[in-house]
Structure formats: structure tokens, C-alpha cells
Amino acid sequence: RLGSAPRHGSSWSSPLSAEDERAVVGGCARTVRWQLAIFYFASGFWKANTSFLHPSYSCAGLFMVQPLEYLPDDVLFAASGLAASAVPALARAIAATGPAFTLVLEAVVPVLHFLEPRRFPRCALFGLVLTLAFHLVIGLTPPPSNVSTYGVTTCTRLFFVFPDAAAAAVGEMGRPHTAAGALLCAGMAAAAAATLALVEPYHAVAISTVQGEGKDWHAGWYAALAVLLTRAA
């Protein structure tokens, strides 16, 4: 029994060595990556229905068209000229292709996360970049469709794509007195500040937001996380 086992010199009560810690992380990395693969596959699988694929009802069209709000008002609401015809045509094209694009994306990403990064490093890198970009667009979508917490809670698990490199990047971040650490910290802070400044005008006048009223701190945190994971990759 565990309670009657001798404690002196027992391995379970001793601190893990660096090799043991690496083995533990490596052992659970595959499970976490497969969880991500199953999650994204299921997300795409349950979208394969007539409602999601119809541009008039699909949330994909809504999410992908809304970022056009970042265009200047004189372009977005132009009454004449090239913008008057180009912007509506672009919006219709995005809305029409958005559902299919989303299904393709959520079919490719699971495959990339399922593959072993050591054997297929380029596929793993591509999967990481696609996942970060996907959640960045969702997080930057103007209210009320902004869901930056989705990216924060999901992309934190991308640590397990390149655990050794991610751990090294975190260690680098913890040494701001070095040139590399200072540059990484500055990049993360700049990304967070730029993201918060970008979404602020839309959140300030929003009637409803997914993340609540005020600053979307989750968006800033996600931007910093994306820089850290990009550094690890």
C-alpha cells in the first residue's frame, strides 16, 4: 500500500530530474495534440450541414465579413467610385466562400496536429501558424462577434507542439536583462498594445460584446501569446 511504503529514498517523493520532466512532458504532448486534432475535426464535422453551408445563415460568412469594418468609413460606405462597387462585391464573395473555406481549414488543421512534429516538423509548424492565424482573426472580429478567449484557452495548448522550444522561449522571456529576452518581451508587449489599440474604437461604442464591456484584455494577452509561440516555432 502507498501509505505503508518507505519514504526514505523513495523515488516518488524526490524531485524529478530534467530528463524525467522532459519525458513526462513528451509523454503527454501527443495526447494534448490529439485532443486538439479531435476538437478541430469535430468542430468542422458538425458544421457539415445545410444551415452552415448556406451563406445567408452561416456564422462563417458573418465572422469573415465583419473585419471589413476596419476599412476607413469613406471606403466602406462609399456612394460612388470603385469602392462603391468593390466593397459590396468583396463582402458577397467572402460570405459565399466563407463556409467552405472554414470547413477546409478545420479539416486541414486536425491532420497537421495529428502528425508527429519530430517526423513532420514543417507540417507541425504550418499547423501552429494556421491555428494562431485562425484565432487571431476571430479575436479581432469587431463586437459582438469577438471571441478572443477562445484563442487564449485553445492556443495555450500549442506549447505541446514544440515543448522543448516553447520552454526555451519561456525561459528567454524570464531573462529580460539579456538582449534576446528583452527583444522577446518588447515584441510581446508591442503586440498586446497594438492589438488593444486596434480593437478599442470598436469596443468603446459597442452595445454588446462577447468579452464584456471595456478593454478586451484577452485579445492583448492572445497577441502576446502568439508572439511567444511564434518565437518558439
Side-chain angles (χ1 to χ4, degrees):
R1 292 186 302 169
L2 181 62
S4 60
R7 299 180 60 88
H8 299 289
S10 59
S11 59
W12 64 268
S13 62
S14 303
L16 294 176
S17 66
E19 293 74 15
D20 291 335
E21 290 181 350
R22 186 175 289 107
V24 170
V25 173
C28 69
R30 177 182 296 179
T31 300
V32 175
R33 288 188 292 102
W34 284 9
Q35 286 177 333
L36 284 175
I38 294 171
F39 170 78
Y40 286 112
F41 172 79
S43 179
F45 177 80
W46 292 111
K47 289 184 176 74
N49 56 70
T50 55
S51 294
F52 181 83
L53 291 172
H54 198 295
S56 298
Y57 315 130
S58 179
C59 65
L62 175 66
F63 269 96
M64 295 182 68
V65 169
Q66 268 197 273
L68 292 178
E69 292 185 36
Y70 285 105
L71 291 173
D73 286 350
D74 57 347
V75 174
L76 187 61
F77 302 110
S80 60
L82 178 61
S85 57
V87 173
L90 177 61
R92 287 192 295 269
I94 292 174
T97 58
F101 175 82
T102 302
L103 283 183
V104 171
L105 180 66
E106 292 186 339
V108 172
V109 167
V111 174
L112 297 174
H113 286 313
F114 185 80
L115 297 174
E116 174 58 46
R118 292 183 182 275
R119 292 185 60 191
F120 305 96
R122 292 186 179 180
C123 291
L125 177 60
F126 188 41
L128 183 144
V129 171
L130 273 182
T131 305
L132 288 176
F134 175 69
H135 287 284
L136 179 63
V137 172
I138 293 176
L140 292 180
T141 301
S145 303
N146 57 306
V147 196
S148 52
T149 49
Y150 181 24
V152 171
T153 56
T154 304
C155 291
T156 303
R157 292 161 174 78
L158 293 176
F159 172 92
F160 292 97
V161 176
F162 301 111
D164 289 339
V170 171
E172 192 174 85
M173 181 185 66
R175 297 188 296 273
H177 57 281
T178 65
L183 185 60
L184 177 58
C185 290
M188 294 173 65
T195 300
L196 290 173
L198 182 64
V199 302
E200 177 64 25
Y202 298 90
H203 289 225
V205 298
I207 297 175
S208 174
T209 67
V210 171
Q211 307 299 160
E213 298 180 0
K215 289 187 179 296
D216 186 359
W217 295 109
H218 300 94
W221 170 252
Y222 178 79
L225 175 65
V227 171
L228 178 64
L229 290 172
T230 301
R231 171 68 178 119

